[in-house]
PDB file of all heavy atoms in Angstrom:
ATOM      1  N   GLN T 923       0.828  -1.206   0.000  1.00 88.00           N
ATOM      2  CA  GLN T 923       0.000   0.001   0.000  1.00 88.00           C
ATOM      3  C   GLN T 923       0.861   1.255   0.000  1.00 88.00           C
ATOM      4  O   GLN T 923       0.543   2.237  -0.688  1.00 88.00           O
ATOM      5  CB  GLN T 923      -0.943  -0.011   1.210  1.00 88.00           C
ATOM      6  CG  GLN T 923      -2.078  -1.010   1.082  1.00 88.00           C
ATOM      7  CD  GLN T 923      -3.014  -0.948   2.273  1.00 88.00           C
ATOM      8  OE1 GLN T 923      -2.583  -0.946   3.427  1.00 88.00           O
ATOM      9  NE2 GLN T 923      -4.295  -0.878   2.008  1.00 88.00           N
ATOM     10  N   GLU T 924       1.936   1.222   0.771  1.00 87.00           N
ATOM     11  CA  GLU T 924       2.846   2.368   0.806  1.00 87.00           C
ATOM     12  C   GLU T 924       3.483   2.588  -0.568  1.00 87.00           C
ATOM     13  O   GLU T 924       3.685   3.726  -1.000  1.00 87.00           O
ATOM     14  CB  GLU T 924       3.939   2.149   1.855  1.00 87.00           C
ATOM     15  CG  GLU T 924       3.429   2.207   3.283  1.00 87.00           C
ATOM     16  CD  GLU T 924       4.492   1.823   4.290  1.00 87.00           C
ATOM     17  OE1 GLU T 924       5.578   1.373   3.845  1.00 87.00           O
ATOM     18  OE2 GLU T 924       4.260   1.963   5.504  1.00 87.00           O
ATOM     19  N   SER T 925       3.778   1.496  -1.239  1.00 79.00           N
ATOM     20  CA  SER T 925       4.343   1.577  -2.583  1.00 79.00           C
ATOM     21  C   SER T 925       3.363   2.241  -3.531  1.00 79.00           C
ATOM     22  O   SER T 925       3.734   3.099  -4.339  1.00 79.00           O
ATOM     23  CB  SER T 925       4.700   0.176  -3.079  1.00 79.00           C
ATOM     24  OG  SER T 925       5.130   0.211  -4.418  1.00 79.00           O
ATOM     25  N   LEU T 926       2.090   1.875  -3.419  1.00 80.00           N
ATOM     26  CA  LEU T 926       1.064   2.460  -4.272  1.00 80.00           C
ATOM     27  C   LEU T 926       0.867   3.936  -3.949  1.00 80.00           C
ATOM     28  O   LEU T 926       0.751   4.774  -4.857  1.00 80.00           O
ATOM     29  CB  LEU T 926      -0.252   1.706  -4.095  1.00 80.00           C
ATOM     30  CG  LEU T 926      -1.438   2.170  -4.943  1.00 80.00           C
ATOM     31  CD1 LEU T 926      -1.092   2.110  -6.427  1.00 80.00           C
ATOM     32  CD2 LEU T 926      -2.661   1.314  -4.655  1.00 80.00           C
ATOM     33  N   THR T 927       0.869   4.282  -2.665  1.00 77.00           N
ATOM     34  CA  THR T 927       0.715   5.681  -2.249  1.00 77.00           C
ATOM     35  C   THR T 927       1.878   6.521  -2.763  1.00 77.00           C
ATOM     36  O   THR T 927       1.703   7.654  -3.228  1.00 77.00           O
ATOM     37  CB  THR T 927       0.622   5.776  -0.718  1.00 77.00           C
ATOM     38  OG1 THR T 927      -0.480   5.002  -0.260  1.00 77.00           O
ATOM     39  CG2 THR T 927       0.442   7.225  -0.289  1.00 77.00           C
ATOM     40  N   SER T 928       3.083   5.956  -2.688  1.00 70.00           N
ATOM     41  CA  SER T 928       4.272   6.664  -3.153  1.00 70.00           C
ATOM     42  C   SER T 928       4.188   6.946  -4.649  1.00 70.00           C
ATOM     43  O   SER T 928       4.557   8.022  -5.118  1.00 70.00           O
ATOM     44  CB  SER T 928       5.521   5.834  -2.844  1.00 70.00           C
ATOM     45  OG  SER T 928       6.683   6.453  -3.331  1.00 70.00           O
ATOM     46  N   ARG T 929       3.662   5.989  -5.415  1.00 66.00           N
ATOM     47  CA  ARG T 929       3.526   6.177  -6.858  1.00 66.00           C
ATOM     48  C   ARG T 929       2.502   7.270  -7.176  1.00 66.00           C
ATOM     49  O   ARG T 929       2.669   8.049  -8.099  1.00 66.00           O
ATOM     50  CB  ARG T 929       3.107   4.864  -7.522  1.00 66.00           C
ATOM     51  CG  ARG T 929       4.252   3.854  -7.645  1.00 66.00           C
ATOM     52  CD  ARG T 929       3.709   2.484  -8.039  1.00 66.00           C
ATOM     53  NE  ARG T 929       4.781   1.558  -8.325  1.00 66.00           N
ATOM     54  CZ  ARG T 929       5.489   0.928  -7.401  1.00 66.00           C
ATOM     55  NH1 ARG T 929       5.236   1.152  -6.120  1.00 66.00           N
ATOM     56  NH2 ARG T 929       6.449   0.096  -7.731  1.00 66.00           N
ATOM     57  N   ARG T 930       1.427   7.291  -6.410  1.00 65.00           N
ATOM     58  CA  ARG T 930       0.391   8.297  -6.630  1.00 65.00           C
ATOM     59  C   ARG T 930       0.925   9.706  -6.408  1.00 65.00           C
ATOM     60  O   ARG T 930       0.502  10.659  -7.063  1.00 65.00           O
ATOM     61  CB  ARG T 930      -0.791   8.042  -5.691  1.00 65.00           C
ATOM     62  CG  ARG T 930      -1.654   6.846  -6.111  1.00 65.00           C
ATOM     63  CD  ARG T 930      -2.692   6.559  -5.049  1.00 65.00           C
ATOM     64  NE  ARG T 930      -3.587   5.483  -5.435  1.00 65.00           N
ATOM     65  CZ  ARG T 930      -4.441   4.897  -4.604  1.00 65.00           C
ATOM     66  NH1 ARG T 930      -4.508   5.294  -3.329  1.00 65.00           N
ATOM     67  NH2 ARG T 930      -5.219   3.920  -5.029  1.00 65.00           N
ATOM     68  N   SER T 931       1.883   9.833  -5.469  1.00 59.00           N
ATOM     69  CA  SER T 931       2.447  11.148  -5.161  1.00 59.00           C
ATOM     70  C   SER T 931       3.667  11.463  -6.013  1.00 59.00           C
ATOM     71  O   SER T 931       4.329  12.474  -5.797  1.00 59.00           O
ATOM     72  CB  SER T 931       2.803  11.219  -3.671  1.00 59.00           C
ATOM     73  OG  SER T 931       3.785  10.248  -3.346  1.00 59.00           O
ATOM     74  N   GLY T 932       3.984  10.583  -6.960  1.00 59.00           N
ATOM     75  CA  GLY T 932       5.093  10.829  -7.858  1.00 59.00           C
ATOM     76  C   GLY T 932       6.430  10.390  -7.329  1.00 59.00           C
ATOM     77  O   GLY T 932       7.468  10.664  -7.928  1.00 59.00           O
ATOM     78  N   GLY T 933       6.437   9.669  -6.203  1.00 53.00           N
ATOM     79  CA  GLY T 933       7.688   9.198  -5.624  1.00 53.00           C
ATOM     80  C   GLY T 933       8.046   7.811  -6.118  1.00 53.00           C
ATOM     81  O   GLY T 933       7.430   7.271  -7.020  1.00 53.00           O
ATOM     82  N   ARG T 934       9.053   7.225  -5.486  1.00 52.00           N
ATOM     83  CA  ARG T 934       9.503   5.890  -5.836  1.00 52.00           C
ATOM     84  C   ARG T 934       9.185   4.914  -4.708  1.00 52.00           C
ATOM     85  O   ARG T 934       9.033   5.305  -3.557  1.00 52.00           O
ATOM     86  CB  ARG T 934      11.014   5.881  -6.120  1.00 52.00           C
ATOM     87  CG  ARG T 934      11.402   6.688  -7.350  1.00 52.00           C
ATOM     88  CD  ARG T 934      12.889   6.546  -7.601  1.00 52.00           C
ATOM     89  NE  ARG T 934      13.297   7.258  -8.818  1.00 52.00           N
ATOM     90  CZ  ARG T 934      14.541   7.268  -9.273  1.00 52.00           C
ATOM     91  NH1 ARG T 934      15.489   6.636  -8.601  1.00 52.00           N
ATOM     92  NH2 ARG T 934      14.836   7.920 -10.379  1.00 52.00           N
ATOM     93  N   ALA T 935       9.137   3.650  -5.077  1.00 48.00           N
ATOM     94  CA  ALA T 935       8.897   2.627  -4.065  1.00 48.00           C
ATOM     95  C   ALA T 935      10.059   2.590  -3.081  1.00 48.00           C
ATOM     96  O   ALA T 935      11.201   2.835  -3.437  1.00 48.00           O
ATOM     97  CB  ALA T 935       8.732   1.263  -4.732  1.00 48.00           C
ATOM     98  N   LYS T 936       9.771   2.262  -1.831  1.00 47.00           N
ATOM     99  CA  LYS T 936      10.824   2.185  -0.826  1.00 47.00           C
ATOM    100  C   LYS T 936      11.740   0.996  -1.103  1.00 47.00           C
ATOM    101  O   LYS T 936      11.374   0.036  -1.758  1.00 47.00           O
ATOM    102  CB  LYS T 936      10.191   2.039   0.567  1.00 47.00           C
ATOM    103  CG  LYS T 936       9.413   3.271   0.998  1.00 47.00           C
ATOM    104  CD  LYS T 936       8.892   3.102   2.402  1.00 47.00           C
ATOM    105  CE  LYS T 936       8.154   4.352   2.875  1.00 47.00           C
ATOM    106  NZ  LYS T 936       7.653   4.203   4.252  1.00 47.00           N
ATOM    107  N   LYS T 937      12.945   1.074  -0.578  1.00 44.00           N
ATOM    108  CA  LYS T 937      13.898  -0.008  -0.757  1.00 44.00           C
ATOM    109  C   LYS T 937      13.310  -1.294  -0.203  1.00 44.00           C
ATOM    110  O   LYS T 937      12.740  -1.323   0.882  1.00 44.00           O
ATOM    111  CB  LYS T 937      15.204   0.326  -0.036  1.00 44.00           C
ATOM    112  CG  LYS T 937      16.295  -0.700  -0.281  1.00 44.00           C
ATOM    113  CD  LYS T 937      17.579  -0.281   0.403  1.00 44.00           C
ATOM    114  CE  LYS T 937      18.681  -1.310   0.154  1.00 44.00           C
ATOM    115  NZ  LYS T 937      19.938  -0.931   0.824  1.00 44.00           N
ATOM    116  N   GLY T 938      13.467  -2.396  -0.953  1.00 43.00           N
ATOM    117  CA  GLY T 938      12.918  -3.673  -0.535  1.00 43.00           C
ATOM    118  C   GLY T 938      11.479  -3.851  -0.945  1.00 43.00           C
ATOM    119  O   GLY T 938      10.868  -4.860  -0.643  1.00 43.00           O
ATOM    120  N   GLY T 939      10.909  -2.868  -1.641  1.00 55.00           N
ATOM    121  CA  GLY T 939       9.510  -2.933  -2.011  1.00 55.00           C
ATOM    122  C   GLY T 939       9.273  -3.239  -3.473  1.00 55.00           C
ATOM    123  O   GLY T 939       8.215  -2.921  -3.993  1.00 55.00           O
ATOM    124  N   ALA T 940      10.252  -3.818  -4.153  1.00 83.00           N
ATOM    125  CA  ALA T 940      10.060  -4.200  -5.552  1.00 83.00           C
ATOM    126  C   ALA T 940       8.883  -5.155  -5.665  1.00 83.00           C
ATOM    127  O   ALA T 940       8.690  -6.027  -4.809  1.00 83.00           O
ATOM    128  CB  ALA T 940      11.332  -4.842  -6.096  1.00 83.00           C
ATOM    129  N   LEU T 941       8.114  -5.006  -6.721  1.00 94.00           N
ATOM    130  CA  LEU T 941       6.898  -5.789  -6.855  1.00 94.00           C
ATOM    131  C   LEU T 941       7.140  -7.110  -7.561  1.00 94.00           C
ATOM    132  O   LEU T 941       8.004  -7.236  -8.431  1.00 94.00           O
ATOM    133  CB  LEU T 941       5.846  -4.982  -7.608  1.00 94.00           C
ATOM    134  CG  LEU T 941       5.436  -3.651  -6.971  1.00 94.00           C
ATOM    135  CD1 LEU T 941       4.314  -3.009  -7.760  1.00 94.00           C
ATOM    136  CD2 LEU T 941       5.026  -3.851  -5.516  1.00 94.00           C
ATOM    137  N   THR T 942       6.362  -8.087  -7.159  1.00 96.00           N
ATOM    138  CA  THR T 942       6.426  -9.433  -7.721  1.00 96.00           C
ATOM    139  C   THR T 942       5.010  -9.905  -7.995  1.00 96.00           C
ATOM    140  O   THR T 942       4.077  -9.537  -7.277  1.00 96.00           O
ATOM    141  CB  THR T 942       7.107 -10.403  -6.726  1.00 96.00           C
ATOM    142  OG1 THR T 942       8.414  -9.917  -6.421  1.00 96.00           O
ATOM    143  CG2 THR T 942       7.215 -11.812  -7.298  1.00 96.00           C
ATOM    144  N   PHE T 943       4.860 -10.711  -9.038  1.00 98.00           N
ATOM    145  CA  PHE T 943       3.565 -11.335  -9.311  1.00 98.00           C
ATOM    146  C   PHE T 943       3.638 -12.775  -8.820  1.00 98.00           C
ATOM    147  O   PHE T 943       4.331 -13.601  -9.401  1.00 98.00           O
ATOM    148  CB  PHE T 943       3.235 -11.285 -10.800  1.00 98.00           C
ATOM    149  CG  PHE T 943       1.848 -11.777 -11.134  1.00 98.00           C
ATOM    150  CD1 PHE T 943       0.733 -11.051 -10.753  1.00 98.00           C
ATOM    151  CD2 PHE T 943       1.671 -12.963 -11.833  1.00 98.00           C
ATOM    152  CE1 PHE T 943      -0.546 -11.490 -11.055  1.00 98.00           C
ATOM    153  CE2 PHE T 943       0.382 -13.416 -12.155  1.00 98.00           C
ATOM    154  CZ  PHE T 943      -0.721 -12.678 -11.754  1.00 98.00           C
ATOM    155  N   ALA T 944       2.950 -13.061  -7.709  1.00 97.00           N
ATOM    156  CA  ALA T 944       2.910 -14.412  -7.164  1.00 97.00           C
ATOM    157  C   ALA T 944       1.808 -15.187  -7.879  1.00 97.00           C
ATOM    158  O   ALA T 944       0.622 -14.905  -7.690  1.00 97.00           O
ATOM    159  CB  ALA T 944       2.649 -14.373  -5.658  1.00 97.00           C
ATOM    160  N   ALA T 945       2.200 -16.148  -8.699  1.00 98.00           N
ATOM    161  CA  ALA T 945       1.247 -16.881  -9.542  1.00 98.00           C
ATOM    162  C   ALA T 945       0.887 -18.211  -8.893  1.00 98.00           C
ATOM    163  O   ALA T 945       1.770 -18.993  -8.536  1.00 98.00           O
ATOM    164  CB  ALA T 945       1.847 -17.108 -10.924  1.00 98.00           C
ATOM    165  N   PHE T 946      -0.419 -18.474  -8.738  1.00 96.00           N
ATOM    166  CA  PHE T 946      -0.827 -19.731  -8.111  1.00 96.00           C
ATOM    167  C   PHE T 946      -1.756 -20.572  -8.972  1.00 96.00           C
ATOM    168  O   PHE T 946      -2.093 -21.697  -8.602  1.00 96.00           O
ATOM    169  CB  PHE T 946      -1.449 -19.493  -6.731  1.00 96.00           C
ATOM    170  CG  PHE T 946      -2.483 -18.404  -6.681  1.00 96.00           C
ATOM    171  CD1 PHE T 946      -3.747 -18.576  -7.214  1.00 96.00           C
ATOM    172  CD2 PHE T 946      -2.190 -17.199  -6.064  1.00 96.00           C
ATOM    173  CE1 PHE T 946      -4.698 -17.574  -7.141  1.00 96.00           C
ATOM    174  CE2 PHE T 946      -3.128 -16.187  -5.985  1.00 96.00           C
ATOM    175  CZ  PHE T 946      -4.395 -16.374  -6.535  1.00 96.00           C
ATOM    176  N   ASP T 947      -2.163 -20.068 -10.125  1.00 97.00           N
ATOM    177  CA  ASP T 947      -3.017 -20.874 -11.003  1.00 97.00           C
ATOM    178  C   ASP T 947      -2.895 -20.359 -12.430  1.00 97.00           C
ATOM    179  O   ASP T 947      -2.663 -19.168 -12.655  1.00 97.00           O
ATOM    180  CB  ASP T 947      -4.483 -20.798 -10.545  1.00 97.00           C
ATOM    181  CG  ASP T 947      -5.332 -21.961 -11.065  1.00 97.00           C
ATOM    182  OD1 ASP T 947      -4.797 -22.799 -11.826  1.00 97.00           O
ATOM    183  OD2 ASP T 947      -6.511 -22.031 -10.696  1.00 97.00           O
ATOM    184  N   ILE T 948      -3.040 -21.266 -13.385  1.00 98.00           N
ATOM    185  CA  ILE T 948      -3.010 -20.891 -14.799  1.00 98.00           C
ATOM    186  C   ILE T 948      -4.313 -21.365 -15.428  1.00 98.00           C
ATOM    187  O   ILE T 948      -4.724 -22.516 -15.240  1.00 98.00           O
ATOM    188  CB  ILE T 948      -1.760 -21.468 -15.501  1.00 98.00           C
ATOM    189  CG1 ILE T 948      -1.598 -20.863 -16.899  1.00 98.00           C
ATOM    190  CG2 ILE T 948      -1.803 -22.986 -15.553  1.00 98.00           C
ATOM    191  CD1 ILE T 948      -0.220 -21.113 -17.516  1.00 98.00           C
ATOM    192  N   LEU T 949      -4.978 -20.471 -16.120  1.00 98.00           N
ATOM    193  CA  LEU T 949      -6.319 -20.753 -16.635  1.00 98.00           C
ATOM    194  C   LEU T 949      -6.353 -20.954 -18.142  1.00 98.00           C
ATOM    195  O   LEU T 949      -7.307 -21.522 -18.675  1.00 98.00           O
ATOM    196  CB  LEU T 949      -7.262 -19.603 -16.243  1.00 98.00           C
ATOM    197  CG  LEU T 949      -7.231 -19.222 -14.753  1.00 98.00           C
ATOM    198  CD1 LEU T 949      -8.126 -18.026 -14.491  1.00 98.00           C
ATOM    199  CD2 LEU T 949      -7.648 -20.401 -13.887  1.00 98.00           C
ATOM    200  N   TYR T 950      -5.293 -20.489 -18.826  1.00 98.00           N
ATOM    201  CA  TYR T 950      -5.223 -20.639 -20.274  1.00 98.00           C
ATOM    202  C   TYR T 950      -3.764 -20.671 -20.690  1.00 98.00           C
ATOM    203  O   TYR T 950      -2.966 -19.836 -20.264  1.00 98.00           O
ATOM    204  CB  TYR T 950      -5.933 -19.474 -20.968  1.00 98.00           C
ATOM    205  CG  TYR T 950      -6.027 -19.606 -22.479  1.00 98.00           C
ATOM    206  CD1 TYR T 950      -7.168 -20.139 -23.074  1.00 98.00           C
ATOM    207  CD2 TYR T 950      -4.987 -19.193 -23.296  1.00 98.00           C
ATOM    208  CE1 TYR T 950      -7.261 -20.264 -24.459  1.00 98.00           C
ATOM    209  CE2 TYR T 950      -5.078 -19.321 -24.684  1.00 98.00           C
ATOM    210  CZ  TYR T 950      -6.215 -19.845 -25.255  1.00 98.00           C
ATOM    211  OH  TYR T 950      -6.305 -19.976 -26.624  1.00 98.00           O
ATOM    212  N   ALA T 951      -3.400 -21.667 -21.517  1.00 98.00           N
ATOM    213  CA  ALA T 951      -2.026 -21.767 -22.019  1.00 98.00           C
ATOM    214  C   ALA T 951      -1.997 -22.740 -23.187  1.00 98.00           C
ATOM    215  O   ALA T 951      -2.816 -23.665 -23.266  1.00 98.00           O
ATOM    216  CB  ALA T 951      -1.068 -22.236 -20.927  1.00 98.00           C
ATOM    217  N   ASP T 952      -1.071 -22.517 -24.102  1.00 96.00           N
ATOM    218  CA  ASP T 952      -0.880 -23.409 -25.252  1.00 96.00           C
ATOM    219  C   ASP T 952      -2.167 -23.606 -26.048  1.00 96.00           C
ATOM    220  O   ASP T 952      -2.441 -24.687 -26.558  1.00 96.00           O
ATOM    221  CB  ASP T 952      -0.334 -24.765 -24.796  1.00 96.00           C
ATOM    222  CG  ASP T 952       1.001 -24.645 -24.085  1.00 96.00           C
ATOM    223  OD1 ASP T 952       1.804 -23.783 -24.495  1.00 96.00           O
ATOM    224  OD2 ASP T 952       1.237 -25.394 -23.125  1.00 96.00           O
ATOM    225  N   GLY T 953      -2.974 -22.538 -26.115  1.00 97.00           N
ATOM    226  CA  GLY T 953      -4.211 -22.602 -26.894  1.00 97.00           C
ATOM    227  C   GLY T 953      -5.329 -23.365 -26.229  1.00 97.00           C
ATOM    228  O   GLY T 953      -6.344 -23.653 -26.869  1.00 97.00           O
ATOM    229  N   ARG T 954      -5.180 -23.679 -24.951  1.00 97.00           N
ATOM    230  CA  ARG T 954      -6.182 -24.488 -24.253  1.00 97.00           C
ATOM    231  C   ARG T 954      -6.791 -23.730 -23.074  1.00 97.00           C
ATOM    232  O   ARG T 954      -6.080 -23.083 -22.301  1.00 97.00           O
ATOM    233  CB  ARG T 954      -5.551 -25.780 -23.725  1.00 97.00           C
ATOM    234  CG  ARG T 954      -5.038 -26.736 -24.773  1.00 97.00           C
ATOM    235  CD  ARG T 954      -4.188 -27.823 -24.125  1.00 97.00           C
ATOM    236  NE  ARG T 954      -4.897 -28.472 -23.026  1.00 97.00           N
ATOM    237  CZ  ARG T 954      -4.296 -29.016 -21.970  1.00 97.00           C
ATOM    238  NH1 ARG T 954      -2.994 -28.962 -21.858  1.00 97.00           N
ATOM    239  NH2 ARG T 954      -5.015 -29.604 -21.027  1.00 97.00           N
ATOM    240  N   ASP T 955      -8.109 -23.827 -22.945  1.00 98.00           N
ATOM    241  CA  ASP T 955      -8.804 -23.345 -21.764  1.00 98.00           C
ATOM    242  C   ASP T 955      -8.638 -24.427 -20.696  1.00 98.00           C
ATOM    243  O   ASP T 955      -9.152 -25.538 -20.824  1.00 98.00           O
ATOM    244  CB  ASP T 955     -10.289 -23.122 -22.085  1.00 98.00           C
ATOM    245  CG  ASP T 955     -11.038 -22.460 -20.946  1.00 98.00           C
ATOM    246  OD1 ASP T 955     -10.593 -22.584 -19.788  1.00 98.00           O
ATOM    247  OD2 ASP T 955     -12.081 -21.833 -21.207  1.00 98.00           O
ATOM    248  N   LEU T 956      -7.923 -24.105 -19.628  1.00 98.00           N
ATOM    249  CA  LEU T 956      -7.530 -25.103 -18.629  1.00 98.00           C
ATOM    250  C   LEU T 956      -8.440 -25.150 -17.414  1.00 98.00           C
ATOM    251  O   LEU T 956      -8.155 -25.891 -16.461  1.00 98.00           O
ATOM    252  CB  LEU T 956      -6.092 -24.825 -18.162  1.00 98.00           C
ATOM    253  CG  LEU T 956      -5.011 -24.841 -19.247  1.00 98.00           C
ATOM    254  CD1 LEU T 956      -3.681 -24.363 -18.663  1.00 98.00           C
ATOM    255  CD2 LEU T 956      -4.866 -26.235 -19.843  1.00 98.00           C
ATOM    256  N   ARG T 957      -9.531 -24.428 -17.429  1.00 96.00           N
ATOM    257  CA  ARG T 957     -10.331 -24.304 -16.213  1.00 96.00           C
ATOM    258  C   ARG T 957     -10.956 -25.619 -15.750  1.00 96.00           C
ATOM    259  O   ARG T 957     -11.273 -25.770 -14.573  1.00 96.00           O
ATOM    260  CB  ARG T 957     -11.408 -23.238 -16.416  1.00 96.00           C
ATOM    261  CG  ARG T 957     -10.842 -21.822 -16.431  1.00 96.00           C
ATOM    262  CD  ARG T 957     -11.894 -20.779 -16.724  1.00 96.00           C
ATOM    263  NE  ARG T 957     -12.416 -20.913 -18.088  1.00 96.00           N
ATOM    264  CZ  ARG T 957     -13.402 -20.162 -18.562  1.00 96.00           C
ATOM    265  NH1 ARG T 957     -13.995 -19.261 -17.794  1.00 96.00           N
ATOM    266  NH2 ARG T 957     -13.806 -20.314 -19.817  1.00 96.00           N
ATOM    267  N   LYS T 958     -11.127 -26.572 -16.654  1.00 96.00           N
ATOM    268  CA  LYS T 958     -11.671 -27.880 -16.265  1.00 96.00           C
ATOM    269  C   LYS T 958     -10.574 -28.920 -16.065  1.00 96.00           C
ATOM    270  O   LYS T 958     -10.858 -30.080 -15.772  1.00 96.00           O
ATOM    271  CB  LYS T 958     -12.667 -28.357 -17.324  1.00 96.00           C
ATOM    272  CG  LYS T 958     -13.921 -27.502 -17.393  1.00 96.00           C
ATOM    273  CD  LYS T 958     -14.914 -28.064 -18.399  1.00 96.00           C
ATOM    274  CE  LYS T 958     -16.174 -27.206 -18.452  1.00 96.00           C
ATOM    275  NZ  LYS T 958     -17.165 -27.751 -19.426  1.00 96.00           N
ATOM    276  N   THR T 959      -9.316 -28.499 -16.200  1.00 97.00           N
ATOM    277  CA  THR T 959      -8.175 -29.388 -15.978  1.00 97.00           C
ATOM    278  C   THR T 959      -7.916 -29.499 -14.477  1.00 97.00           C
ATOM    279  O   THR T 959      -8.038 -28.508 -13.754  1.00 97.00           O
ATOM    280  CB  THR T 959      -6.926 -28.826 -16.681  1.00 97.00           C
ATOM    281  OG1 THR T 959      -7.203 -28.669 -18.075  1.00 97.00           O
ATOM    282  CG2 THR T 959      -5.731 -29.739 -16.506  1.00 97.00           C
ATOM    283  N   PRO T 960      -7.576 -30.681 -13.964  1.00 95.00           N
ATOM    284  CA  PRO T 960      -7.301 -30.818 -12.521  1.00 95.00           C
ATOM    285  C   PRO T 960      -6.263 -29.813 -12.037  1.00 95.00           C
ATOM    286  O   PRO T 960      -5.309 -29.488 -12.745  1.00 95.00           O
ATOM    287  CB  PRO T 960      -6.777 -32.260 -12.410  1.00 95.00           C
ATOM    288  CG  PRO T 960      -7.419 -32.980 -13.554  1.00 95.00           C
ATOM    289  CD  PRO T 960      -7.494 -31.973 -14.671  1.00 95.00           C
ATOM    290  N   LEU T 961      -6.445 -29.341 -10.811  1.00 94.00           N
ATOM    291  CA  LEU T 961      -5.608 -28.276 -10.271  1.00 94.00           C
ATOM    292  C   LEU T 961      -4.120 -28.637 -10.261  1.00 94.00           C
ATOM    293  O   LEU T 961      -3.272 -27.822 -10.628  1.00 94.00           O
ATOM    294  CB  LEU T 961      -6.072 -27.915  -8.860  1.00 94.00           C
ATOM    295  CG  LEU T 961      -5.249 -26.857  -8.117  1.00 94.00           C
ATOM    296  CD1 LEU T 961      -5.201 -25.558  -8.912  1.00 94.00           C
ATOM    297  CD2 LEU T 961      -5.810 -26.611  -6.727  1.00 94.00           C
ATOM    298  N   GLU T 962      -3.785 -29.855  -9.835  1.00 95.00           N
ATOM    299  CA  GLU T 962      -2.375 -30.234  -9.785  1.00 95.00           C
ATOM    300  C   GLU T 962      -1.733 -30.202 -11.169  1.00 95.00           C
ATOM    301  O   GLU T 962      -0.565 -29.820 -11.314  1.00 95.00           O
ATOM    302  CB  GLU T 962      -2.221 -31.623  -9.160  1.00 95.00           C
ATOM    303  CG  GLU T 962      -2.399 -31.628  -7.649  1.00 95.00           C
ATOM    304  CD  GLU T 962      -2.118 -32.986  -7.046  1.00 95.00           C
ATOM    305  OE1 GLU T 962      -3.026 -33.832  -7.039  1.00 95.00           O
ATOM    306  OE2 GLU T 962      -0.983 -33.193  -6.578  1.00 95.00           O
ATOM    307  N   GLU T 963      -2.496 -30.568 -12.184  1.00 97.00           N
ATOM    308  CA  GLU T 963      -1.973 -30.506 -13.552  1.00 97.00           C
ATOM    309  C   GLU T 963      -1.789 -29.058 -13.986  1.00 97.00           C
ATOM    310  O   GLU T 963      -0.800 -28.709 -14.639  1.00 97.00           O
ATOM    311  CB  GLU T 963      -2.920 -31.239 -14.501  1.00 97.00           C
ATOM    312  CG  GLU T 963      -2.401 -31.326 -15.933  1.00 97.00           C
ATOM    313  CD  GLU T 963      -3.327 -32.111 -16.835  1.00 97.00           C
ATOM    314  OE1 GLU T 963      -4.091 -32.961 -16.338  1.00 97.00           O
ATOM    315  OE2 GLU T 963      -3.291 -31.867 -18.071  1.00 97.00           O
ATOM    316  N   ARG T 964      -2.733 -28.204 -13.617  1.00 97.00           N
ATOM    317  CA  ARG T 964      -2.612 -26.778 -13.946  1.00 97.00           C
ATOM    318  C   ARG T 964      -1.385 -26.179 -13.267  1.00 97.00           C
ATOM    319  O   ARG T 964      -0.655 -25.378 -13.867  1.00 97.00           O
ATOM    320  CB  ARG T 964      -3.860 -26.006 -13.514  1.00 97.00           C
ATOM    321  CG  ARG T 964      -5.117 -26.371 -14.269  1.00 97.00           C
ATOM    322  CD  ARG T 964      -6.151 -25.253 -14.223  1.00 97.00           C
ATOM    323  NE  ARG T 964      -6.455 -24.742 -12.911  1.00 97.00           N
ATOM    324  CZ  ARG T 964      -7.429 -25.206 -12.128  1.00 97.00           C
ATOM    325  NH1 ARG T 964      -8.167 -26.242 -12.514  1.00 97.00           N
ATOM    326  NH2 ARG T 964      -7.660 -24.656 -10.956  1.00 97.00           N
ATOM    327  N   LYS T 965      -1.156 -26.558 -12.017  1.00 97.00           N
ATOM    328  CA  LYS T 965       0.003 -26.034 -11.290  1.00 97.00           C
ATOM    329  C   LYS T 965       1.309 -26.454 -11.965  1.00 97.00           C
ATOM    330  O   LYS T 965       2.267 -25.676 -12.034  1.00 97.00           O
ATOM    331  CB  LYS T 965      -0.022 -26.529  -9.842  1.00 97.00           C
ATOM    332  CG  LYS T 965      -1.186 -25.999  -9.017  1.00 97.00           C
ATOM    333  CD  LYS T 965      -0.897 -24.637  -8.433  1.00 97.00           C
ATOM    334  CE  LYS T 965       0.090 -24.728  -7.313  1.00 97.00           C
ATOM    335  NZ  LYS T 965       0.317 -23.422  -6.665  1.00 97.00           N
TER     336      LYS T 965
END
């Protein structure tokens, strides 16, 4: 939240606040809709 507030005010993110995308599920890949694929296979 502090990182987002800093961006809104034109500042920079604090040290150690680099953003990461934590991915826990994949719903589409290789031309396939994976939503009906078992979760362990999707992972």
